Amino acid sequence: MTLPPAEEAIEDNSFFLEEAYNQEDRIVQHISTFTYFQKPLRQAGYTFTQEWPLGSQEHQLSYDISYGALGDVSGIGDCAINYRYQWRREGDGMAVTPRLSILLPTGDEKKGLGIGVTGAEIGLAASKRLS
């Protein structure tokens, strides 16, 4: 089996992990995630994410809105605003993008739908093409 040239390879690992690639200029990505568990306690969660390039593929802004249901309680959960910088993309097939997130206490802490405080999170996504 012959593999396609690197310029034709699919370079997106978002199905398994946070992707290491920002959105192309003028392309907006919408991501929906739904989870459901029956045991040990019936619970469901939905998250909507929208990713926007900021003038080029190098800078990206996104937000996450979540909705959760735990037993008889349901409602909006905590939300996040994220900034990602495409640090490394070309050359040897390696992509690296750090992310800074501000976590907003939009969920009801008393109902278990949020943590009740503003927070920050730093992440680093990386991907290496092996073939």
Side-chain angles (χ1 to χ4, degrees):
M1 178 173 140
T2 305
L3 294 172
E7 62 271 4
E8 296 178 19
I10 296 173
E11 296 180 339
D12 188 356
N13 59 354
S14 61
F15 181 74
F16 298 110
L17 302 169
E18 179 175 351
E19 61 186 341
Y21 304 95
N22 282 354
Q23 288 307 112
E24 292 84 3
D25 192 25
R26 301 183 308 168
I27 302 293
V28 176
Q29 182 173 353
H30 312 278
I31 304 167
S32 292
T33 306
F34 179 76
T35 56
Y36 177 77
F37 299 97
Q38 284 188 315
K39 295 180 181 177
L41 181 65
R42 177 179 253 163
Q43 56 184 320
Y46 173 75
T47 303
F48 176 76
T49 301
Q50 196 171 60
E51 298 178 339
W52 293 76
L54 291 175
S56 71
Q57 191 170 357
E58 193 171 77
H59 305 279
Q60 177 177 290
L61 189 66
S62 66
Y63 64 87
D64 305 320
I65 299 173
S66 63
Y67 182 88
L70 181 60
D72 294 335
V73 176
S74 63
I76 298 291
D78 289 345
C79 295
I81 297 174
N82 314 293
Y83 168 75
R84 292 191 346 167
Y85 173 69
Q86 189 71 55
W87 179 34
R88 186 171 174 183
R89 168 138 181 138
E90 301 296 327
D92 60 358
M94 179 92 174
V96 179
T97 179
R99 175 185 44 82
L100 172 64
S101 299
I102 302 299
L103 309 173
L104 305 172
T106 52
D108 189 339
E109 177 187 15
K110 294 176 184 166
K111 293 182 179 179
L113 298 170
I115 58 172
V117 296
T118 301
E121 180 179 272
I122 296 174
L124 181 67
S127 182
K128 172 73 172 145
R129 185 175 49 239
L130 299 175
S131 58

